[in-house]
Amino acid sequence: MIRTTLITTLVALLCACQDNAAPATPDQVEASTNAPAAAAAIAPVVSLSGKSLLPPDPIPNQSKLQDDLTSARATLEANPEDPEAMIWVGRRLGYLWRYQEAIDVFSKGIEKWPDNAKFYRHRGHRYLTVRDFPRALTDFQKAAALIEGKPDEIEPDGAPNP
């Protein structure tokens, strides 16, 4: 299941040429550049067609997603040796469009648990989101190599969609 998900995600996102968010308006760009905290939290993403992609305003379920992130951070603080706890912090950051922070969390996980394929898989997904295809491919290849010969697992959905 994970192998299929890795391959399907990679192929679909590498081949996709449609934007998955509305292009930024001049007011949104100005607001994001004038707000240092927002700019630091949400790094700009540029679509394959060159348009700036910004999170919807507001992010759907933002309050719940923020609460989930707070809970995930508390869980990691209480269980710093649990790789799943760190993965959930990274995932929760991604759900809030805080992609670079998520990448940083997954990178720290890779430093601590270099043989855990999940960190490469999730970081690869975030690299796809920010359109860093070479790094995404490298991470997906590493994840695939680490899970070679292991049984498939079903990954829980952290932000269920309708």
Side-chain angles (χ1 to χ4, degrees), residues 2-3 11 14 53 57 64-65 93 100 129 132 144 146:
I2 291 175
R3 188 171 302 117
V11 171
L14 286 175
L53 302 177
D57 187 22
K64 180 185 180 331
L65 294 173
L93 286 164
Q100 189 55 56
T129 304
D132 189 341
L146 287 170

Side-chain angles (χ1 to χ4, degrees), residues 121-154:
R121 186 258 201 268
H122 286 289
R123 189 174 70 174
H125 188 172
R126 288 299 130 226
Y127 279 141
L128 282 176
T129 304
V130 299
R131 309 316 196 254
D132 189 341
F133 300 127
R135 286 185 177 160
L137 181 59
T138 298
D139 275 2
F140 286 138
Q141 288 171 331
K142 178 68 175 183
L146 287 170
I147 63 169
E148 185 67 35
K150 294 181 181 173
D152 286 343
E153 296 178 22
I154 295 176

